Amino acid sequence: MSYENILSNTYNGITTITINRPSKLNALNKATIQELHDALKIANKSDDTKVIIITGSGEKAFVAGADISEFADFDVKNGEKLAAKGQELLFDYIENLGTPVIAAVNGFALGGGLELAMACHFRVASANAKMGLPEVSLGVIPGYGGTQRLPQLVGKGRAMEMVMTAGMIDANQALQYGLVNHVTAEGELITLAEKIASKIMRNSSVAIKAAIKSINANYKDGVNGYKTEVKQFGKCFGTEDFTEGTTAFLEKRKADFPGK
């Protein structure tokens, strides 16, 4: 499938999706959100993809924000539709994807860019990364899940400060806050993400999918995460991966998971 705003490449079980709008600092517009959804859907269904990495082209920006020109003249109804559609197509979609998604944050991750990174299952950053939610400086608030996911990751007080001040934090502060898992040199970012991906791929993809669902359940209103965990735990016993994993353990050999 051909794209105008992104690049997608699969190699050795890893699909790397790159937002490729360097002249706009990789800002998210409607077309890019749709293309990201399409590429993620294809990767998630492919037997060749075990882990997905999302990054931005160039060294300046992961995603510098949303394309403000697309919604500057919106009214209340259109604003609500914009947020709801974006969350459905991309941000909630990534969070609930069964295939692990790693955000490799290079440069600016602001507004919708940070919201995209936070929707991923976890984040690694280059030393030059800068992150923030500057929406209140435009008279609006984060609309792609930022007010929900940021407190989950950094705590309520820090999230309140970041949103209210519209300020940016650097990579080391993001690491201190728990917003990113690792920080590395600019030229080593994708290598680090791929190294982590290779560790993930050694394990059962079926069990990982169940783990994602169980962990996410803890953050959903009206859902008992413990019950979800019990149910997903039980389901694992009916999989070929469980049979292979336990057999390999007892036979003292490396498991060869079929992913079923």
Side-chain angles (χ1 to χ4, degrees):
M1 187 172 183
S2 61
Y3 304 102
E4 293 184 7
N5 301 295
I6 68 170
L7 305 171
S8 183
N9 177 63
T10 302
Y11 181 73
N12 283 348
I14 303 171
T15 293
T16 302
I17 300 173
T18 306
I19 298 100
N20 189 35
R21 302 184 72 211
S23 64
K24 299 289 186 180
L25 292 179
N26 301 326
L28 292 178
N29 58 4
K30 291 178 183 177
T32 304
I33 288 174
Q34 182 64 57
E35 288 186 7
L36 283 168
H37 171 84
D38 294 341
L40 287 160
K41 187 174 183 179
I42 290 170
N44 188 52
K45 288 183 176 181
S46 172
D47 292 336
D48 295 328
T49 299
K50 305 302 181 186
V51 179
I52 299 167
I53 297 171
I54 297 180
T55 193
S57 63
E59 298 177 353
K60 291 184 178 179
F62 172 72
V63 172
D67 196 331
I68 297 170
S69 63
E70 283 196 335
F71 59 80
D73 60 349
F74 276 16
D75 58 16
V76 172
K77 186 175 181 180
N78 287 327
E80 288 183 3
K81 284 183 178 180
L82 178 73
K85 189 66 174 178
Q87 289 192 32
E88 177 188 354
L89 269 181
L90 185 58
F91 301 87
D92 290 350
Y93 186 77
I94 290 175
E95 182 178 75
N96 294 303
L97 211 64
T99 304
V101 185
I102 305 171
V105 181
N106 52 313
F108 291 108
L110 304 176
L114 180 54
E115 290 175 301
L116 174 60
M118 290 191 294
C120 296
H121 296 127
F122 60 91
R123 292 141 293 285
V124 296
S126 58
N128 70 326
K130 302 280 187 181
M131 302 171 211
L133 295 175
E135 284 87 346
V136 297
S137 69
L138 300 174
V140 70
I141 67 169
Y144 288 143
T147 64
Q148 306 305 298
R149 293 189 179 98
L150 186 62
Q152 292 171 6
L153 292 166
V154 308
K156 182 179 178 181
R158 284 173 172 162
M160 287 284 194
E161 181 180 356
M162 286 181 65
V163 171
M164 290 181 187
T165 62
M168 290 187 292
I169 61 173
D170 62 22
N172 287 329
Q173 196 167 6
L175 180 63
Q176 178 189 344
Y177 280 9
L179 186 53
V180 302
N181 290 26
H182 305 277
V183 174
T184 189
E186 294 175 37
E188 298 174 4
L189 180 63
I190 298 302
T191 300
L192 173 61
E194 290 175 344
K195 183 178 180 181
I196 297 171
S198 69
K199 292 180 179 180
I200 292 172
M201 289 190 290
R202 297 172 192 166
N203 303 309
S204 163
S205 59
V206 176
I208 287 171
K209 183 177 181 179
I212 290 171
K213 184 173 290 187
S214 298
I215 292 168
N216 282 342
N218 185 54
Y219 296 96
K220 294 182 179 178
D221 288 340
V223 176
N224 186 316
Y226 290 100
K227 287 185 177 180
T228 300
E229 181 185 273
V230 167
K231 185 174 182 179
Q232 292 301 317
F233 178 78
K235 282 185 175 181
C236 288
F237 282 74
T239 68
E240 293 180 30
D241 276 12
F242 174 76
T243 301
E244 168 60 15
T246 52
T247 302
F249 177 81
L250 294 171
E251 294 178 352
K252 295 181 172 58
R253 61 174 174 80
K254 184 179 178 180
D256 182 17
F257 293 110
K260 298 179 181 178

